[in-house]
Amino acid sequence: MPHFSHIDEDGRAQMVDVGEKTITRRVAIAGAQVVVSKETFTLLKEQALPKGDALTTAKIAGILAAKRTADLIPMCHPLALNFVDVRFSLDETACRIDIEAEARTEGKTGVEMEAMHAATAAALTLYDMCKAVQKDIVIQNIRLLYKSGGKSGVFTAK
């Protein structure tokens, strides 16, 4: 039977002990996409949504989410984050908002979950900011795009 790091010898969930791991610089970038109608996209771009500036609100929500990851994901270690950013690119042709969330630290465990949490919270916030004008918004492709640091080294999504 394979060994699972988050399962103890009795089959119960456990937090991994990272006490013996080496401190390294850790970076993770996650992405998500929000697809809206042409009308919603125009309102968002022009900052004319009923709830206000959706992109600024989503950026703040993503940063806050990264900082609170260990409070909401049970087996995540609390991390001292050095940097968190949430960036957006607007694809007018596809009426899509591409989200990129980046987290950095120096520590014994990675920041992938913090970056993923930031991207997800930003996407959900965009949904919340736009739902007054559109209900069938699609959130898609939440995933890890890049990570570096630690024993497993560099990962880049294809």
Coordinates of all heavy atoms in Angstrom, one line a residue, residues 94-156:
A94 N -12.9 36.6 -25.9 CA -13.5 35.5 -25.2 C -14.4 35.9 -24.0 O -15.0 35.1 -23.4 CB -12.4 34.6 -24.6
C95 N -14.5 37.3 -23.7 CA -15.2 37.8 -22.6 C -14.8 37.0 -21.3 O -15.6 36.5 -20.5 CB -16.7 37.7 -22.8 SG -17.3 38.7 -24.1
R96 N -13.5 37.0 -21.1 CA -12.9 36.2 -20.0 C -11.9 37.0 -19.3 O -11.1 37.8 -19.8 CB -12.2 35.0 -20.6 CG -11.7 34.0 -19.6 CD -11.0 32.8 -20.2 NE -9.7 33.2 -20.8 CZ -9.3 32.9 -22.0 NH1 -10.0 32.2 -22.8 NH2 -8.1 33.3 -22.4
I97 N -11.9 36.9 -17.9 CA -10.9 37.5 -17.1 C -10.0 36.4 -16.6 O -10.4 35.4 -16.0 CB -11.6 38.1 -15.8 CG1 -12.6 39.2 -16.3 CG2 -10.6 38.8 -14.9 CD1 -14.0 38.7 -16.3
D98 N -8.7 36.5 -17.0 CA -7.7 35.5 -16.6 C -7.1 36.0 -15.3 O -6.6 37.2 -15.2 CB -6.7 35.3 -17.7 CG -7.2 34.7 -18.9 OD1 -8.1 33.8 -18.8 OD2 -6.7 35.0 -20.0
I99 N -7.0 35.2 -14.3 CA -6.5 35.5 -13.0 C -5.2 34.8 -12.8 O -5.1 33.6 -13.1 CB -7.5 35.1 -11.9 CG1 -8.8 35.8 -12.1 CG2 -6.9 35.4 -10.5 CD1 -10.0 35.2 -11.2
E100 N -4.2 35.5 -12.3 CA -2.9 34.9 -11.9 C -2.6 35.4 -10.5 O -2.6 36.6 -10.2 CB -1.9 35.4 -12.9 CG -0.6 34.6 -12.8 CD 0.4 35.0 -13.8 OE1 1.2 36.0 -13.6 OE2 0.4 34.4 -14.9
A101 N -2.5 34.4 -9.6 CA -2.2 34.7 -8.2 C -0.8 34.2 -7.8 O -0.5 33.0 -8.1 CB -3.2 34.1 -7.3
E102 N 0.0 35.0 -7.2 CA 1.4 34.6 -6.9 C 1.6 34.8 -5.4 O 1.2 35.7 -4.8 CB 2.4 35.5 -7.6 CG 3.8 35.1 -7.3 CD 4.8 35.9 -8.2 OE1 4.4 36.7 -9.1 OE2 6.0 35.7 -8.0
A103 N 2.3 33.7 -4.8 CA 2.6 33.8 -3.4 C 4.1 33.4 -3.2 O 4.6 32.5 -3.9 CB 1.7 32.8 -2.6
R104 N 4.8 34.1 -2.3 CA 6.2 33.8 -2.0 C 6.4 33.7 -0.5 O 5.8 34.5 0.3 CB 7.1 34.9 -2.6 CG 7.0 35.1 -4.0 CD 7.9 36.2 -4.5 NE 7.5 36.8 -5.7 CZ 7.8 38.0 -6.1 NH1 8.6 38.8 -5.3 NH2 7.4 38.5 -7.2
T105 N 7.4 32.9 -0.1 CA 7.8 32.8 1.2 C 9.2 32.2 1.3 O 9.7 31.7 0.3 CB 6.8 32.0 2.1 OG1 7.1 32.1 3.5 CG2 6.9 30.5 1.8
E106 N 9.8 32.2 2.4 CA 11.0 31.4 2.7 C 10.5 30.5 3.8 O 10.1 31.0 4.9 CB 12.2 32.2 3.2 CG 13.1 32.7 2.0 CD 12.8 34.2 1.8 OE1 12.5 34.9 2.8 OE2 12.8 34.6 0.6
G107 N 10.5 29.2 3.6 CA 10.0 28.3 4.6 C 10.3 26.8 4.3 O 11.0 26.5 3.4
K108 N 9.6 26.0 5.1 CA 9.8 24.5 5.0 C 8.8 23.8 4.2 O 8.8 22.6 4.0 CB 9.9 24.0 6.4 CG 11.1 24.5 7.2 CD 11.1 23.8 8.6 CE 12.4 24.3 9.3 NZ 12.6 23.4 10.5
T109 N 7.8 24.6 3.8 CA 6.7 24.0 3.0 C 6.2 25.0 1.9 O 6.5 26.2 2.1 CB 5.5 23.5 3.9 OG1 4.6 22.8 3.1 CG2 4.8 24.7 4.6
G110 N 5.7 24.5 0.9 CA 5.4 25.4 -0.3 C 4.2 26.3 -0.1 O 3.4 26.1 0.9
V111 N 4.0 27.2 -1.1 CA 2.9 28.1 -1.0 C 1.9 27.9 -2.2 O 1.1 28.8 -2.5 CB 3.4 29.6 -1.1 CG1 4.1 30.0 0.2 CG2 4.4 29.8 -2.3
E112 N 1.8 26.7 -2.7 CA 0.9 26.3 -3.7 C -0.6 26.6 -3.3 O -1.4 27.1 -4.0 CB 1.0 24.9 -4.2 CG 2.3 24.6 -4.8 CD 3.4 24.0 -3.9 OE1 3.3 24.3 -2.7 OE2 4.2 23.2 -4.3
M113 N -0.9 26.1 -2.1 CA -2.3 26.3 -1.6 C -2.7 27.7 -1.4 O -3.8 28.1 -1.7 CB -2.5 25.5 -0.3 CG -2.4 24.0 -0.5 SD -3.5 23.3 -1.9 CE -5.1 23.7 -1.2
E114 N -1.7 28.5 -1.0 CA -2.0 30.0 -0.8 C -2.2 30.6 -2.2 O -3.2 31.4 -2.3 CB -0.8 30.6 -0.1 CG -0.7 30.3 1.4 CD -0.3 28.9 1.7 OE1 0.2 28.2 0.8 OE2 -0.4 28.5 2.9
A115 N -1.5 30.3 -3.2 CA -1.7 30.8 -4.5 C -3.0 30.3 -5.1 O -3.8 31.1 -5.7 CB -0.5 30.5 -5.4
M116 N -3.3 29.1 -4.9 CA -4.6 28.5 -5.4 C -5.8 29.1 -4.7 O -6.8 29.5 -5.3 CB -4.6 27.0 -5.2 CG -3.5 26.3 -6.0 SD -4.0 25.9 -7.7 CE -5.2 24.6 -7.4
H117 N -5.6 29.3 -3.4 CA -6.7 29.9 -2.6 C -6.9 31.4 -3.0 O -8.1 31.8 -3.2 CB -6.3 29.8 -1.1 CG -7.5 30.0 -0.2 ND1 -7.3 30.5 1.1 CD2 -8.8 29.9 -0.3 CE1 -8.5 30.6 1.7 NE2 -9.4 30.2 0.9
A118 N -5.9 32.1 -3.3 CA -6.0 33.5 -3.8 C -6.7 33.5 -5.1 O -7.6 34.4 -5.3 CB -4.6 34.1 -3.9
A119 N -6.3 32.7 -6.1 CA -6.9 32.7 -7.4 C -8.4 32.3 -7.3 O -9.3 33.0 -7.9 CB -6.2 31.7 -8.3
T120 N -8.7 31.4 -6.4 CA -10.1 30.9 -6.3 C -11.0 32.0 -5.6 O -12.1 32.3 -6.1 CB -10.2 29.7 -5.4 OG1 -9.4 28.6 -6.1 CG2 -11.6 29.2 -5.3
A121 N -10.5 32.7 -4.6 CA -11.2 33.7 -3.9 C -11.4 34.9 -4.8 O -12.5 35.5 -4.8 CB -10.5 34.2 -2.6
A122 N -10.4 35.2 -5.6 CA -10.5 36.3 -6.6 C -11.6 36.0 -7.6 O -12.5 36.8 -8.0 CB -9.2 36.6 -7.3
A123 N -11.7 34.8 -8.1 CA -12.7 34.3 -9.1 C -14.1 34.4 -8.5 O -15.0 34.9 -9.1 CB -12.4 32.9 -9.6
L124 N -14.2 33.9 -7.2 CA -15.5 34.0 -6.6 C -16.0 35.4 -6.3 O -17.1 35.7 -6.4 CB -15.4 33.2 -5.2 CG -15.4 31.7 -5.4 CD1 -15.1 31.0 -4.0 CD2 -16.6 31.1 -6.0
T125 N -15.0 36.3 -6.0 CA -15.3 37.7 -5.8 C -15.8 38.3 -7.1 O -16.8 39.1 -7.1 CB -14.1 38.4 -5.2 OG1 -13.8 37.8 -3.9 CG2 -14.5 39.9 -4.9
L126 N -15.2 38.0 -8.2 CA -15.6 38.5 -9.5 C -17.1 38.0 -9.7 O -17.9 38.8 -10.2 CB -14.7 38.1 -10.6 CG -13.4 38.8 -10.7 CD1 -12.5 38.2 -11.8 CD2 -13.6 40.3 -10.8
Y127 N -17.3 36.8 -9.4 CA -18.7 36.3 -9.6 C -19.7 37.1 -8.7 O -20.7 37.6 -9.2 CB -18.8 34.8 -9.2 CG -20.2 34.3 -9.3 CD1 -20.6 33.6 -10.5 CD2 -21.2 34.5 -8.4 CE1 -21.9 33.2 -10.7 CE2 -22.5 34.0 -8.6 CZ -22.8 33.4 -9.7 OH -24.1 32.9 -9.9
D128 N -19.3 37.3 -7.5 CA -20.2 38.1 -6.5 C -20.4 39.5 -7.0 O -21.5 40.0 -7.0 CB -19.5 38.1 -5.2 CG -20.4 38.9 -4.2 OD1 -21.6 38.5 -4.0 OD2 -19.9 39.8 -3.6
M129 N -19.3 40.1 -7.6 CA -19.4 41.5 -8.0 C -20.3 41.6 -9.3 O -20.9 42.7 -9.6 CB -18.0 42.1 -8.3 CG -17.2 42.2 -7.1 SD -17.7 43.3 -5.8 CE -17.4 44.9 -6.7
C130 N -20.3 40.5 -10.1 CA -21.1 40.6 -11.4 C -22.4 39.9 -11.3 O -23.2 40.1 -12.3 CB -20.2 39.8 -12.4 SG -18.6 40.6 -12.8
K131 N -22.8 39.2 -10.3 CA -24.0 38.4 -10.3 C -25.3 39.2 -10.4 O -26.3 38.7 -10.8 CB -24.0 37.5 -9.0 CG -24.3 38.2 -7.7 CD -24.2 37.3 -6.6 CE -24.4 38.0 -5.3 NZ -24.3 37.2 -4.1
A132 N -25.2 40.5 -10.0 CA -26.4 41.4 -10.1 C -26.8 41.5 -11.6 O -28.0 41.8 -11.9 CB -26.1 42.7 -9.5
V133 N -25.9 41.4 -12.5 CA -26.2 41.6 -13.9 C -26.1 40.3 -14.7 O -26.6 40.2 -15.8 CB -25.3 42.6 -14.6 CG1 -25.5 44.0 -14.0 CG2 -23.8 42.2 -14.5
Q134 N -25.6 39.2 -14.1 CA -25.5 37.9 -14.8 C -25.4 36.8 -13.8 O -24.5 36.9 -12.9 CB -24.3 37.9 -15.8 CG -24.2 36.7 -16.6 CD -22.9 36.6 -17.4 OE1 -22.1 37.5 -17.5 NE2 -22.7 35.5 -18.1
K135 N -26.2 35.8 -14.0 CA -26.1 34.6 -13.0 C -25.3 33.4 -13.6 O -24.8 32.7 -12.8 CB -27.5 34.2 -12.7 CG -28.4 35.2 -12.2 CD -28.1 35.5 -10.7 CE -29.2 36.4 -10.1 NZ -28.8 37.8 -10.0
D136 N -25.2 33.3 -14.9 CA -24.6 32.1 -15.5 C -23.1 32.3 -15.8 O -22.6 31.8 -16.8 CB -25.4 31.7 -16.7 CG -25.4 32.7 -17.8 OD1 -25.1 33.9 -17.6 OD2 -25.7 32.3 -19.0
I137 N -22.4 33.0 -14.9 CA -21.0 33.2 -15.0 C -20.3 31.8 -14.8 O -20.7 31.0 -14.0 CB -20.5 34.2 -14.0 CG1 -21.2 35.5 -14.2 CG2 -19.0 34.3 -13.9 CD1 -21.1 36.5 -13.0
V138 N -19.2 31.6 -15.6 CA -18.5 30.3 -15.4 C -17.1 30.6 -14.8 O -16.3 31.5 -15.3 CB -18.3 29.7 -16.8 CG1 -17.4 28.4 -16.7 CG2 -19.7 29.3 -17.4
I139 N -16.8 29.9 -13.8 CA -15.4 29.9 -13.2 C -14.8 28.6 -13.7 O -15.4 27.5 -13.5 CB -15.5 30.0 -11.7 CG1 -16.1 31.3 -11.3 CG2 -14.1 29.8 -11.1 CD1 -16.3 31.5 -9.8
Q140 N -13.6 28.7 -14.2 CA -12.9 27.5 -14.8 C -11.4 27.5 -14.7 O -10.8 28.6 -14.4 CB -13.3 27.3 -16.3 CG -12.8 28.5 -17.2 CD -13.4 28.4 -18.6 OE1 -14.4 27.8 -18.8 NE2 -12.7 29.0 -19.5
N141 N -10.8 26.4 -14.9 CA -9.4 26.2 -15.0 C -8.6 26.7 -13.8 O -7.6 27.4 -13.9 CB -8.9 26.9 -16.3 CG -9.4 26.2 -17.5 OD1 -9.6 25.0 -17.5 ND2 -9.6 26.9 -18.6
I142 N -9.1 26.5 -12.6 CA -8.3 26.8 -11.4 C -7.2 25.8 -11.3 O -7.5 24.6 -11.2 CB -9.2 26.8 -10.1 CG1 -10.3 27.8 -10.3 CG2 -8.4 27.0 -8.9 CD1 -11.4 27.7 -9.2
R143 N -6.0 26.2 -11.3 CA -4.9 25.3 -11.3 C -3.5 25.9 -11.0 O -3.4 27.2 -11.1 CB -4.7 24.6 -12.7 CG -4.4 25.5 -13.8 CD -4.5 24.8 -15.2 NE -3.9 25.6 -16.2 CZ -3.0 25.2 -17.1 NH1 -2.5 24.0 -17.0 NH2 -2.5 26.0 -18.0
L144 N -2.6 25.1 -10.6 CA -1.3 25.5 -10.4 C -0.6 25.7 -11.7 O -0.6 24.8 -12.5 CB -0.5 24.5 -9.5 CG 0.9 24.9 -9.1 CD1 1.0 26.1 -8.2 CD2 1.6 23.7 -8.5
L145 N 0.0 26.9 -11.9 CA 0.8 27.2 -13.1 C 2.3 27.0 -12.9 O 3.0 26.7 -13.9 CB 0.5 28.6 -13.6 CG -1.0 28.9 -13.8 CD1 -1.2 30.4 -14.1 CD2 -1.5 28.1 -15.0
Y146 N 2.8 27.3 -11.7 CA 4.2 27.3 -11.5 C 4.5 27.2 -10.0 O 3.8 27.7 -9.2 CB 4.8 28.6 -12.0 CG 6.3 28.8 -11.7 CD1 7.3 28.2 -12.5 CD2 6.7 29.5 -10.6 CE1 8.6 28.4 -12.2 CE2 8.0 29.6 -10.2 CZ 9.0 29.1 -11.0 OH 10.3 29.2 -10.7
K147 N 5.6 26.5 -9.7 CA 6.1 26.4 -8.3 C 7.5 26.2 -8.4 O 8.1 25.5 -9.2 CB 5.3 25.4 -7.5 CG 5.8 24.0 -7.7 CD 5.8 23.2 -6.4 CE 6.9 22.5 -6.0 NZ 8.2 22.7 -5.5
S148 N 8.2 26.8 -7.4 CA 9.7 26.5 -7.2 C 10.0 26.5 -5.7 O 9.2 27.0 -4.9 CB 10.5 27.6 -7.9 OG 10.3 28.8 -7.3
G149 N 11.1 25.8 -5.4 CA 11.6 25.7 -4.1 C 11.3 24.3 -3.5 O 10.4 23.6 -4.0
G150 N 12.0 24.0 -2.5 CA 11.8 22.7 -1.9 C 12.5 21.6 -2.6 O 13.1 21.7 -3.6
K151 N 12.3 20.4 -2.0 CA 12.9 19.2 -2.5 C 12.5 18.8 -4.0 O 13.2 18.3 -4.8 CB 12.6 18.0 -1.6 CG 13.3 16.7 -1.9 CD 13.2 15.7 -0.8 CE 11.8 15.3 -0.7 NZ 11.6 14.1 0.3
S152 N 11.2 19.1 -4.3 CA 10.7 18.7 -5.6 C 11.1 19.7 -6.7 O 10.8 19.4 -7.9 CB 9.2 18.5 -5.6 OG 8.5 19.7 -5.3
G153 N 11.6 20.8 -6.4 CA 12.1 21.7 -7.4 C 11.1 22.5 -8.1 O 10.1 22.9 -7.6
V154 N 11.3 22.7 -9.4 CA 10.5 23.6 -10.2 C 9.4 22.7 -11.0 O 9.7 21.7 -11.5 CB 11.3 24.3 -11.3 CG1 10.4 25.2 -12.2 CG2 12.3 25.3 -10.6
F155 N 8.2 23.3 -11.0 CA 7.1 22.7 -11.8 C 6.5 23.9 -12.6 O 6.3 25.0 -12.1 CB 6.0 22.2 -10.9 CG 4.7 21.9 -11.6 CD1 4.5 20.8 -12.3 CD2 3.6 22.9 -11.6 CE1 3.3 20.6 -13.0 CE2 2.5 22.7 -12.3 CZ 2.3 21.5 -13.0
T156 N 6.3 23.6 -13.9 CA 5.6 24.6 -14.8 C 4.5 23.8 -15.5 O 4.8 22.8 -16.1 CB 6.6 25.2 -15.8 OG1 7.7 25.8 -15.1 CG2 6.0 26.2 -16.7

